[in-house]
Amino acid sequence: MKALYEQNQSDVNEAKSDGRSDLIPTIKFRHCSLLRNRRCTVAYLYDRLLRIRALRWEYGSVLPNALRFHMSAEEMEWFNRYKKSLATYMRSLGGEEGLDVTQDMKPPKSLYIEVRCLRDYGEFEVDDGTSVVLKKNSQHFLPRWKCEQLIRQGILEHVLS
Amino acid sequence: MFVSDFRKEFYELVQSQRVLLFVASDVDALCACKILQALFHCDHVQYTLVPVSGWQELETAFLEHKEQFRYFILINCGANIDLLDILQPEEDTIFFVCDTHRPVNVVNVYNDTQIKLLIKQDDDLEVPAYDDIFRDEEEDEDHSGNESDGSEPSEKRTRLEEEVLEQTMKRRQRRAWEARRREILFDYEQYEYHGTSSAMVMFDLAWMMSKDLNDMLWWAIVGLTDQWVQDKITQMKYVTDVGILQRHVSRHNHRNEDEEHTLSVDCTRITFEYDLRLALYQHWSLYDSLCNTCYTASRFKLWSVHGQKRLQEFLADMGLPLKQVKQKFQSMDVSLKENLREMIEESANKFGMKDMRVQTFSIHFGFKHKFLASDVVFATMSLMESTEKDSSGTDNFTQALDSLSRSNLDKLYHGLELAKKQLRATQQTIASCLCTNLVISQGPFLYCSLMEGTPDVMLFSKPVSLSLLSRHLLKSFVYSTKNRRCKLLPLVMAAPLSVEQGTVTLVGIPPETDSSDRKNFFGRAFEKAAESTSSRTLHNHFDLSVIELKAEDRSKFLDALVSLLS
């Protein structure tokens, strides 16, 4: 884009000083391509922002390192600000404690759900401090809110019967 | 100890806790597990389910989970071996064992704190009395401290003599007691058999708490039918249990009889049927079913040409055209299907098959889906032991468990296809064994060994399929042989398990008699034979009559077995 811009600039100067009006279509053409490139870049950056926003809803407030590696510093900054803004909003709902809207994306049918483990995961802590060992193909009956994260990550599978 | 009030001493204890369920790999255990899961879902009991297929898996799984749980429920595993010895649990761990394997190990019966048996005591258990087996250690080493000082030497000598006499009397009594104890234990543990289905026990618990549903009743029916299909219980017990379940069925399913208040056709309905014994006949063609059900195949002797002719005669006698009979059952002419059961029963009586019909149950929901209990048993069994590639034991277990729910009918149909393959392979193997005289008499028992290259031999490396094959083989053999003595012999069957490790699976089947009580002595016999020849065996299965053996040790093991049993 820079190259195009410089070429244009020199042509404009030439046209202005020398009065060569036949350079004007070239200038216009280069200008249009510059505008188009700018549109594409902006669209790409905007799409990245939307995806980063979706990450907050999928992964929670802490992103895994692999993802953070692929984001630029400005994007991280945007993410943190989005996090803060979402947190402020959530705190403002539901009375004193606020409401976590990232939970329960679909209306829950029951308090506890039956899940099956698809991969070996290791120990997983439950509300009362005790932990459960998640091995492949073991089935568990756990509170819904604890399992949602793992279901989204694909480690557990909700068993419907 | 035996739990007398299942609700108070078992369910209410675990209701507020997190429990770990160990479930064995057979259909009855799966059904009991489904019933218990449904109850737990109702009451929000947090549980973890771990499938186990043998003692080793049970031990490893227990080691992994023992820190996180205090209450363990074992379904169809753990009653016949000293649990505390194998698992070495902590002091406050409690095990609830719901198992059909008998005899229940005496340590499990008399342990008051850690082991609770969910077994009805009116099952014929015959547990030996406490005093016959256990004896508190008496103080018989402190005679030296009984002497008083300063007594006269002569008195001391007589007192010493008396004490020595006492000691010898005590020792003699003790030896006699120990000999009697060994005898009692030997008699008690010699024969293995099975008790009431665990699925029925769980259903009973649900009924006591008034939380029983039609679905749970169906699972109890499937659990009982599994015991019947695998010949684990006597015919009389089966009929008694069917009577019990029939009462529940009429309680839950009486609404169809009233014309005004019938249920929609999509609702589940269970009905009592006095239906044909042919395996999967409604999902197969009648001809295939006749050829591949053990009952008919053995009595017609379908491995011989003569037998095939008899089958044709049988069909002609009933007036069923061959073309119709070889079609899928559902596409048979309706006029033929109407009185099919009675026609078949009549003709079967003429050909010497008196028990063609058997009491069972069937389930309907929707227009298309109707299953007999035995259909579901065969389907689930095949799913659980399927030898498809990339399917581990636990994968198969989850498939089989899912197929029992009504919303997973595709898995059930897949299971039915696998079951058809299994039944066909069974019959073909039996035919080839009988035609090539592979069943040889070793003296006190018959022996048959499947060779490496036999088609479908991998299907028979799993214990339940191999047991089914062996039982059917024995039944067919009894009909094929003319030697009267051989008809009363038990059978030991070997099939290759793993080529790389050079192991075979060995199964022992009790002799086939009309009124057999299904008691199997091969469990202990195998143990003793292995000990005496120090063969490399693995007694991993919960059913002690199925073992794994290194192929090289086979001959010396069999020799030891022959000498043991003769």
Side-chain angles (χ1 to χ4, degrees):
Chain A
M1 271 172 79
K2 258 199 186 146
L4 276 174
Y5 179 72
E6 266 153 33
Q7 286 174 350
N8 238 12
Q9 191 65 32
S10 62
D11 271 349
V12 160
N13 287 338
E14 224 183 278
K16 262 213 202 134
S17 54
D18 291 339
R20 283 182 66 185
S21 51
D22 56 335
L23 287 175
I24 295 189
T26 338
I27 294 175
K28 269 204 173 162
F29 177 70
R30 282 202 207 100
H31 191 65
C32 284
S33 46
L34 274 173
L35 283 176
R36 178 196 168 270
N37 288 350
R38 186 181 74 175
R39 268 207 313 275
C40 290
T41 325
V42 170
Y44 170 67
L45 288 173
Y46 183 63
D47 191 61
R48 276 179 77 101
L49 277 182
L50 288 179
R51 282 176 200 232
I52 293 175
R53 186 175 74 175
L55 285 179
R56 165 65 183 89
W57 288 81
E58 197 177 310
Y59 281 97
S61 7
V62 180
L63 293 177
N65 281 329
L67 285 171
R68 262 192 276 191
F69 180 66
H70 290 291
M71 299 201 312
S72 70
E74 287 86 7
E75 284 170 337
M76 275 310 297
E77 159 104 33
W78 186 88
F79 180 73
N80 290 334
R81 285 217 211 125
Y82 178 74
K83 252 197 318 188
K84 258 191 228 150
S85 145
L86 183 64
T88 332
Y89 174 65
M90 290 201 284
R91 233 176 292 136
S92 70
L93 303 167
E96 279 185 15
E97 339 166 314
L99 178 68
D100 188 359
V101 283
T102 58
Q103 297 263 343
D104 289 338
M105 303 287 264
K106 292 200 201 106
K109 294 264 176 11
S110 57
L111 275 181
Y112 287 78
I113 50 172
E114 165 123 21
V115 288
R116 181 176 297 153
C117 198
L118 298 174
R119 294 199 280 273
D120 275 340
Y121 181 73
E123 291 204 7
F124 177 60
E125 234 186 271
V126 189
D127 277 340
D128 51 358
T130 49
S131 49
V132 180
V133 174
L134 294 177
K135 281 216 97 183
K136 183 159 194 255
N137 277 329
S138 56
Q139 277 182 235
H140 308 266
F141 190 61
L142 298 171
R144 159 178 286 275
W145 55 91
K146 294 245 58 148
C147 308
E148 272 202 77
Q149 274 285 317
L150 291 175
I151 293 181
R152 263 183 248 158
Q153 287 176 27
I155 296 180
L156 293 178
E157 174 198 16
H158 183 25
V159 176
L160 306 144
S161 66
Chain B
M1 59 176 256
F2 290 102
V3 170
S4 46
D5 185 347
F6 281 28
R7 180 189 207 165
K8 286 210 196 77
E9 297 175 36
F10 163 56
Y11 199 72
E12 294 188 356
L13 269 183
V14 296
Q15 213 172 352
S16 48
Q17 305 280 341
R18 291 172 46 237
V19 286
L20 183 61
L21 283 167
F22 284 119
V23 181
S25 304
D26 69 274
V27 181
D28 186 26
L30 283 180
C31 294
C33 164
K34 292 270 328 171
I35 299 181
L36 198 55
Q37 274 184 309
L39 286 175
F40 283 167
H41 285 202
C42 253
D43 290 318
H44 294 307
V45 177
Q46 298 186 40
Y47 67 86
T48 299
L49 177 78
V50 177
V52 289
S53 59
W55 296 109
Q56 284 179 344
E57 265 192 50
L58 182 62
E59 282 175 59
T60 27
F62 180 73
L63 281 174
E64 279 169 14
H65 291 268
K66 71 174 180 182
E67 258 116 64
Q68 286 96 21
F69 291 92
R70 258 184 68 217
Y71 288 91
F72 294 85
I73 303 182
L74 283 81
I75 302 192
N76 267 1
C77 49
N80 45 354
I81 285 208
D82 187 356
L83 264 184
L84 298 181
D85 193 39
I86 293 197
L87 298 178
Q88 308 275 340
E90 308 289 322
E91 284 297 319
D92 57 350
T93 322
I94 300 195
F95 294 94
F96 292 98
V97 180
C98 181
D99 193 353
T100 55
H101 291 104
R102 306 272 182 277
V104 185
N105 191 289
V106 288
V107 177
N108 291 346
V109 172
Y110 288 117
N111 179 310
D112 279 332
T113 48
Q114 288 192 279
I115 301 194
K116 318 254 180 196
L117 296 166
L118 297 173
I119 295 176
K120 296 250 170 79
Q121 275 187 285
D122 46 63
D123 261 353
D124 46 317
L125 289 167
E126 297 160 5
V127 183
Y130 183 77
D131 294 322
D132 285 341
I133 326 180
F134 297 106
R135 174 184 228 185
D136 300 319
E137 284 305 309
E138 289 175 11
E139 323 270 329
D140 40 19
E141 355 69 21
D142 61 348
H143 294 291
S144 45
N146 276 347
E147 305 153 17
S148 51
D149 316 49
S151 43
E152 300 193 20
S154 60
E155 273 189 22
K156 208 177 181 179
R157 211 178 303 130
T158 42
R159 207 174 297 145
L160 256 169
E161 278 176 16
E162 278 177 23
E163 283 172 8
V164 166
L165 212 58
E166 257 188 68
Q167 274 190 45
T168 28
M169 284 305 297
K170 274 212 179 98
R171 239 179 280 145
R172 207 176 295 168
Q173 268 181 8
R174 196 188 169 82
R175 268 197 289 257
W177 180 85
E178 278 184 357
R180 226 182 120 238
R181 173 180 185 268
R182 267 196 297 270
E183 219 186 279
I184 292 183
L185 275 181
F186 179 75
D187 282 334
Y188 179 60
E189 295 180 347
Q190 192 184 27
Y191 287 100
E192 278 189 298
Y193 57 105
H194 287 267
T196 318
S197 144
S198 313
M200 281 185 66
V201 169
M202 288 294 166
F203 180 76
D204 222 47
L205 169 67
W207 179 47
M208 264 201 277
M209 300 194 294
S210 302
K211 288 188 178 151
D212 56 327
L213 296 170
N214 228 0
D215 281 333
M216 294 190 204
L217 178 56
W218 177 246
W219 290 324
I221 291 174
V222 173
L224 173 65
T225 314
D226 172 61
Q227 286 198 315
W228 177 74
V229 163
Q230 292 193 43
D231 270 343
K232 283 187 182 167
I233 51 176
T234 59
Q235 186 69 14
M236 225 171 58
K237 181 153 176 61
Y238 175 70
V239 172
T240 328
D241 286 344
V242 161
I244 297 177
L245 286 177
Q246 193 182 353
R247 272 175 255 146
H248 288 294
V249 164
S250 34
R251 183 169 56 93
H252 277 282
N253 292 290
H254 59 92
R255 281 206 267 168
N256 322 328
E257 294 163 30
D258 189 354
E259 278 305 317
E260 297 158 7
H261 301 289
T262 39
L263 291 173
S264 128
V265 84
D266 283 327
C267 289
T268 314
R269 249 175 279 204
I270 304 181
T271 35
F272 174 76
E273 309 255 358
Y274 188 42
D275 208 343
L276 297 172
R277 217 174 177 168
L278 304 172
L280 305 180
Y281 80 94
Q282 290 175 351
H283 302 272
W284 218 349
S285 69
L286 194 58
Y287 186 76
D288 277 328
S289 188
L290 279 166
C291 293
N292 291 310
T293 304
C294 170
Y295 185 75
T296 43
S298 57
R299 281 168 180 72
F300 279 132
K301 303 202 184 74
L302 286 179
W303 51 86
S304 63
V305 175
H306 174 68
Q308 301 278 350
K309 283 211 202 112
R310 284 194 79 202
L311 178 62
Q312 313 277 13
E313 272 176 40
F314 175 71
L315 292 170
D317 185 65
M318 286 194 290
L320 294 174
L322 259 185
K323 215 171 84 159
Q324 287 287 332
V325 156
K326 288 195 183 175
Q327 266 191 42
K328 268 182 71 158
F329 186 77
Q330 284 160 351
S331 349
M332 262 175 81
D333 261 350
V334 178
S335 54
L336 293 172
K337 277 199 277 192
E338 262 169 24
N339 287 328
L340 189 67
R341 291 186 208 170
E342 285 83 16
M343 274 200 307
I344 292 194
E345 193 180 10
E346 236 183 84
S347 300
N349 269 328
K350 283 192 224 159
F351 280 76
M353 294 187 277
K354 306 252 183 308
D355 302 313
M356 196 60 167
R357 284 169 82 169
V358 75
Q359 298 180 344
T360 183
F361 298 92
S362 73
I363 190 173
H364 303 230
F365 37 96
F367 286 105
K368 258 204 322 184
H369 309 295
K370 176 177 180 210
F371 300 99
L372 282 177
S374 55
D375 298 342
V376 177
V377 167
F378 280 117
T380 316
M381 224 190 309
S382 309
L383 276 175
M384 205 154 40
E385 304 215 321
S386 82
T387 48
E388 282 170 20
K389 301 194 191 77
D390 306 331
S391 58
S392 73
T394 40
D395 277 334
N396 288 342
F397 181 90
T398 25
Q399 289 275 356
L401 193 63
D402 281 342
S403 77
L404 284 173
S405 309
R406 265 188 300 137
S407 48
N408 293 323
L409 280 178
D410 53 338
K411 294 199 183 157
L412 189 61
Y413 281 116
H414 178 57
L416 282 173
E417 295 303 312
L418 287 176
K420 289 183 198 169
K421 254 194 255 171
Q422 176 95 21
L423 284 170
R424 246 194 276 257
T426 309
Q427 283 307 123
Q428 282 169 358
T429 319
I430 292 180
S432 71
C433 283
L434 288 174
C435 292
T436 55
N437 288 325
L438 272 181
V439 183
I440 35 188
S441 162
Q442 296 274 18
F445 57 88
L446 300 165
Y447 175 69
C448 176
S449 162
L450 288 181
M451 292 293 121
E452 247 332 283
T454 329
D456 301 317
V457 79
M458 281 329 284
L459 276 178
F460 300 119
S461 57
K462 305 267 174 100
V464 175
S465 324
L466 188 58
S467 311
L468 218 60
L469 169 69
S470 321
R471 239 172 268 123
H472 290 188
L473 179 60
L474 185 58
K475 290 193 185 140
S476 307
F477 180 77
V478 161
Y479 279 98
S480 81
T481 183
K482 295 203 177 42
N483 184 335
R484 207 169 294 178
R485 203 183 73 84
C486 277
K487 293 198 197 213
L488 301 171
L489 292 178
L491 172 68
V492 172
M493 181 113 189
L497 174 62
S498 145
V499 186
E500 305 97 43
Q501 296 169 357
T503 46
V504 292
T505 318
L506 214 63
V507 164
I509 308 285
E512 181 67 28
T513 51
D514 281 332
S515 58
S516 82
D517 51 3
R518 313 276 190 259
K519 291 203 180 188
N520 195 341
F521 51 80
F522 277 106
R524 301 291 156 191
F526 283 165
E527 261 179 39
K528 288 219 184 94
E531 263 177 51
S532 62
T533 57
S534 55
S535 320
R536 292 160 285 175
T537 54
L538 192 59
H539 299 260
N540 192 29
H541 295 283
F542 296 122
D543 250 330
L544 294 171
S545 56
V546 180
I547 62 169
E548 290 171 23
L549 175 67
K550 280 267 181 199
E552 296 115 21
D553 298 336
R554 206 197 315 208
S555 37
K556 61 178 176 172
F557 183 83
L558 285 173
D559 289 333
L561 205 58
V562 169
S563 52
L564 197 66
L565 291 174
S566 42

